[in-house]
PDB file of all heavy atoms in Angstrom:
ATOM      1  N   LYS G 112      -0.079   3.436 -24.404  1.00  0.00           N
ATOM      2  CA  LYS G 112       0.403   2.510 -23.387  1.00  0.00           C
ATOM      3  C   LYS G 112      -0.423   2.798 -22.123  1.00  0.00           C
ATOM      4  O   LYS G 112      -0.023   3.552 -21.234  1.00  0.00           O
ATOM      5  CB  LYS G 112       1.877   2.663 -23.095  1.00  0.00           C
ATOM      6  CG  LYS G 112       2.763   2.514 -24.332  1.00  0.00           C
ATOM      7  CD  LYS G 112       2.684   1.080 -24.925  1.00  0.00           C
ATOM      8  CE  LYS G 112       3.452   0.959 -26.216  1.00  0.00           C
ATOM      9  NZ  LYS G 112       2.758   1.627 -27.387  1.00  0.00           N
ATOM     10  N   PRO G 113      -1.611   2.208 -22.006  1.00  0.00           N
ATOM     11  CA  PRO G 113      -2.608   2.558 -20.949  1.00  0.00           C
ATOM     12  C   PRO G 113      -2.169   2.182 -19.534  1.00  0.00           C
ATOM     13  O   PRO G 113      -2.823   2.571 -18.581  1.00  0.00           O
ATOM     14  CB  PRO G 113      -3.889   1.889 -21.357  1.00  0.00           C
ATOM     15  CG  PRO G 113      -3.452   0.701 -22.176  1.00  0.00           C
ATOM     16  CD  PRO G 113      -2.202   1.170 -22.908  1.00  0.00           C
ATOM     17  N   ASN G 114      -1.120   1.350 -19.430  1.00  0.00           N
ATOM     18  CA  ASN G 114      -0.656   0.882 -18.140  1.00  0.00           C
ATOM     19  C   ASN G 114       0.670   1.457 -17.685  1.00  0.00           C
ATOM     20  O   ASN G 114       1.170   1.160 -16.637  1.00  0.00           O
ATOM     21  CB  ASN G 114      -0.553  -0.656 -18.101  1.00  0.00           C
ATOM     22  CG  ASN G 114      -1.895  -1.332 -18.399  1.00  0.00           C
ATOM     23  OD1 ASN G 114      -2.872  -1.161 -17.698  1.00  0.00           O
ATOM     24  ND2 ASN G 114      -1.936  -2.091 -19.489  1.00  0.00           N
ATOM     25  N   LEU G 115       1.262   2.302 -18.570  1.00  0.00           N
ATOM     26  CA  LEU G 115       2.617   2.807 -18.292  1.00  0.00           C
ATOM     27  C   LEU G 115       2.577   3.721 -17.048  1.00  0.00           C
ATOM     28  O   LEU G 115       1.916   4.802 -17.050  1.00  0.00           O
ATOM     29  CB  LEU G 115       3.132   3.604 -19.462  1.00  0.00           C
ATOM     30  CG  LEU G 115       4.594   4.074 -19.405  1.00  0.00           C
ATOM     31  CD1 LEU G 115       5.543   2.869 -19.308  1.00  0.00           C
ATOM     32  CD2 LEU G 115       4.956   4.959 -20.594  1.00  0.00           C
ATOM     33  N   ALA G 116       3.295   3.372 -16.045  1.00  0.00           N
ATOM     34  CA  ALA G 116       3.349   4.114 -14.777  1.00  0.00           C
ATOM     35  C   ALA G 116       4.637   4.876 -14.561  1.00  0.00           C
ATOM     36  O   ALA G 116       4.658   5.952 -13.947  1.00  0.00           O
ATOM     37  CB  ALA G 116       3.081   3.188 -13.579  1.00  0.00           C
ATOM     38  N   HIS G 117       5.750   4.335 -15.070  1.00  0.00           N
ATOM     39  CA  HIS G 117       7.075   4.934 -14.817  1.00  0.00           C
ATOM     40  C   HIS G 117       7.847   5.097 -16.116  1.00  0.00           C
ATOM     41  O   HIS G 117       8.127   4.090 -16.805  1.00  0.00           O
ATOM     42  CB  HIS G 117       7.892   4.080 -13.808  1.00  0.00           C
ATOM     43  CG  HIS G 117       7.106   3.828 -12.550  1.00  0.00           C
ATOM     44  ND1 HIS G 117       7.066   4.763 -11.570  1.00  0.00           N
ATOM     45  CD2 HIS G 117       6.411   2.767 -12.129  1.00  0.00           C
ATOM     46  CE1 HIS G 117       6.314   4.293 -10.542  1.00  0.00           C
ATOM     47  NE2 HIS G 117       5.883   3.076 -10.894  1.00  0.00           N
ATOM     48  N   LEU G 118       8.182   6.329 -16.437  1.00  0.00           N
ATOM     49  CA  LEU G 118       8.931   6.595 -17.691  1.00  0.00           C
ATOM     50  C   LEU G 118      10.269   7.262 -17.331  1.00  0.00           C
ATOM     51  O   LEU G 118      10.250   8.365 -16.741  1.00  0.00           O
ATOM     52  CB  LEU G 118       8.112   7.486 -18.632  1.00  0.00           C
ATOM     53  CG  LEU G 118       8.825   7.916 -19.922  1.00  0.00           C
ATOM     54  CD1 LEU G 118       9.218   6.734 -20.767  1.00  0.00           C
ATOM     55  CD2 LEU G 118       7.841   8.833 -20.712  1.00  0.00           C
ATOM     56  N   TYR G 119      11.359   6.698 -17.706  1.00  0.00           N
ATOM     57  CA  TYR G 119      12.713   7.244 -17.462  1.00  0.00           C
ATOM     58  C   TYR G 119      13.357   7.592 -18.801  1.00  0.00           C
ATOM     59  O   TYR G 119      13.577   6.752 -19.666  1.00  0.00           O
ATOM     60  CB  TYR G 119      13.577   6.159 -16.775  1.00  0.00           C
ATOM     61  CG  TYR G 119      13.160   5.756 -15.415  1.00  0.00           C
ATOM     62  CD1 TYR G 119      12.055   4.863 -15.206  1.00  0.00           C
ATOM     63  CD2 TYR G 119      13.812   6.253 -14.296  1.00  0.00           C
ATOM     64  CE1 TYR G 119      11.651   4.511 -13.965  1.00  0.00           C
ATOM     65  CE2 TYR G 119      13.432   5.820 -13.015  1.00  0.00           C
ATOM     66  CZ  TYR G 119      12.349   5.001 -12.836  1.00  0.00           C
ATOM     67  OH  TYR G 119      11.933   4.600 -11.587  1.00  0.00           O
ATOM     68  N   MET G 120      13.589   8.909 -18.943  1.00  0.00           N
ATOM     69  CA  MET G 120      14.272   9.376 -20.176  1.00  0.00           C
ATOM     70  C   MET G 120      15.364  10.379 -19.783  1.00  0.00           C
ATOM     71  O   MET G 120      15.593  11.379 -20.511  1.00  0.00           O
ATOM     72  CB  MET G 120      13.275  10.020 -21.134  1.00  0.00           C
ATOM     73  CG  MET G 120      12.257   9.038 -21.684  1.00  0.00           C
ATOM     74  SD  MET G 120      11.233   9.705 -23.049  1.00  0.00           S
ATOM     75  CE  MET G 120      12.415   9.806 -24.381  1.00  0.00           C
ATOM     76  N   ASP G 121      16.070  10.129 -18.673  1.00  0.00           N
ATOM     77  CA  ASP G 121      17.186  10.959 -18.279  1.00  0.00           C
ATOM     78  C   ASP G 121      18.326  10.839 -19.299  1.00  0.00           C
ATOM     79  O   ASP G 121      18.467   9.806 -19.901  1.00  0.00           O
ATOM     80  CB  ASP G 121      17.712  10.524 -16.903  1.00  0.00           C
ATOM     81  CG  ASP G 121      16.707  10.651 -15.807  1.00  0.00           C
ATOM     82  OD1 ASP G 121      15.786  11.493 -15.893  1.00  0.00           O
ATOM     83  OD2 ASP G 121      16.782   9.912 -14.847  1.00  0.00           O
ATOM     84  N   ASP G 122      19.109  11.885 -19.405  1.00  0.00           N
ATOM     85  CA  ASP G 122      20.322  11.831 -20.213  1.00  0.00           C
ATOM     86  C   ASP G 122      20.036  11.489 -21.666  1.00  0.00           C
ATOM     87  O   ASP G 122      20.652  10.596 -22.213  1.00  0.00           O
ATOM     88  CB  ASP G 122      21.350  10.855 -19.596  1.00  0.00           C
ATOM     89  CG  ASP G 122      21.797  11.313 -18.212  1.00  0.00           C
ATOM     90  OD1 ASP G 122      22.553  12.235 -18.152  1.00  0.00           O
ATOM     91  OD2 ASP G 122      21.371  10.662 -17.253  1.00  0.00           O
ATOM     92  N   ASN G 123      19.155  12.253 -22.256  1.00  0.00           N
ATOM     93  CA  ASN G 123      18.873  12.143 -23.685  1.00  0.00           C
ATOM     94  C   ASN G 123      19.092  13.511 -24.316  1.00  0.00           C
ATOM     95  O   ASN G 123      19.815  14.341 -23.740  1.00  0.00           O
ATOM     96  CB  ASN G 123      17.545  11.547 -23.970  1.00  0.00           C
ATOM     97  CG  ASN G 123      17.498  10.045 -23.918  1.00  0.00           C
ATOM     98  OD1 ASN G 123      17.837   9.386 -24.897  1.00  0.00           O
ATOM     99  ND2 ASN G 123      17.081   9.486 -22.758  1.00  0.00           N
ATOM    100  N   LEU G 124      18.486  13.775 -25.504  1.00  0.00           N
ATOM    101  CA  LEU G 124      18.672  15.030 -26.179  1.00  0.00           C
ATOM    102  C   LEU G 124      17.316  15.719 -26.419  1.00  0.00           C
ATOM    103  O   LEU G 124      17.164  16.455 -27.373  1.00  0.00           O
ATOM    104  CB  LEU G 124      19.344  14.787 -27.518  1.00  0.00           C
ATOM    105  CG  LEU G 124      20.678  14.039 -27.486  1.00  0.00           C
ATOM    106  CD1 LEU G 124      21.231  13.722 -28.910  1.00  0.00           C
ATOM    107  CD2 LEU G 124      21.730  14.896 -26.737  1.00  0.00           C
ATOM    108  N   LEU G 125      16.405  15.551 -25.462  1.00  0.00           N
ATOM    109  CA  LEU G 125      15.089  16.159 -25.628  1.00  0.00           C
ATOM    110  C   LEU G 125      15.140  17.633 -25.451  1.00  0.00           C
ATOM    111  O   LEU G 125      15.841  18.172 -24.604  1.00  0.00           O
ATOM    112  CB  LEU G 125      14.118  15.578 -24.566  1.00  0.00           C
ATOM    113  CG  LEU G 125      13.881  14.045 -24.607  1.00  0.00           C
ATOM    114  CD1 LEU G 125      13.077  13.610 -23.370  1.00  0.00           C
ATOM    115  CD2 LEU G 125      13.180  13.661 -25.925  1.00  0.00           C
ATOM    116  N   SER G 126      14.400  18.369 -26.264  1.00  0.00           N
ATOM    117  CA  SER G 126      14.267  19.793 -26.160  1.00  0.00           C
ATOM    118  C   SER G 126      12.946  20.219 -25.579  1.00  0.00           C
ATOM    119  O   SER G 126      12.733  21.444 -25.264  1.00  0.00           O
ATOM    120  CB  SER G 126      14.512  20.483 -27.518  1.00  0.00           C
ATOM    121  OG  SER G 126      13.528  19.977 -28.457  1.00  0.00           O
ATOM    122  N   SER G 127      12.031  19.322 -25.435  1.00  0.00           N
ATOM    123  CA  SER G 127      10.691  19.606 -24.946  1.00  0.00           C
ATOM    124  C   SER G 127      10.175  18.389 -24.156  1.00  0.00           C
ATOM    125  O   SER G 127      10.565  17.256 -24.405  1.00  0.00           O
ATOM    126  CB  SER G 127       9.749  19.896 -26.093  1.00  0.00           C
ATOM    127  OG  SER G 127       8.429  20.143 -25.713  1.00  0.00           O
ATOM    128  N   VAL G 128       9.235  18.595 -23.226  1.00  0.00           N
ATOM    129  CA  VAL G 128       8.590  17.508 -22.555  1.00  0.00           C
ATOM    130  C   VAL G 128       7.799  16.684 -23.562  1.00  0.00           C
ATOM    131  O   VAL G 128       7.034  17.294 -24.378  1.00  0.00           O
ATOM    132  CB  VAL G 128       7.647  17.997 -21.443  1.00  0.00           C
ATOM    133  CG1 VAL G 128       6.882  16.847 -20.786  1.00  0.00           C
ATOM    134  CG2 VAL G 128       8.514  18.701 -20.364  1.00  0.00           C
TER     135      VAL G 128
END
Side-chain angles (χ1 to χ4, degrees):
K112 305 295 175 286
N114 300 300
L115 187 62
H117 305 282
L118 176 59
Y119 295 77
M120 295 188 73
D121 299 331
D122 297 287
N123 276 278
L124 304 174
L125 299 173
S126 57
S127 176
V128 173

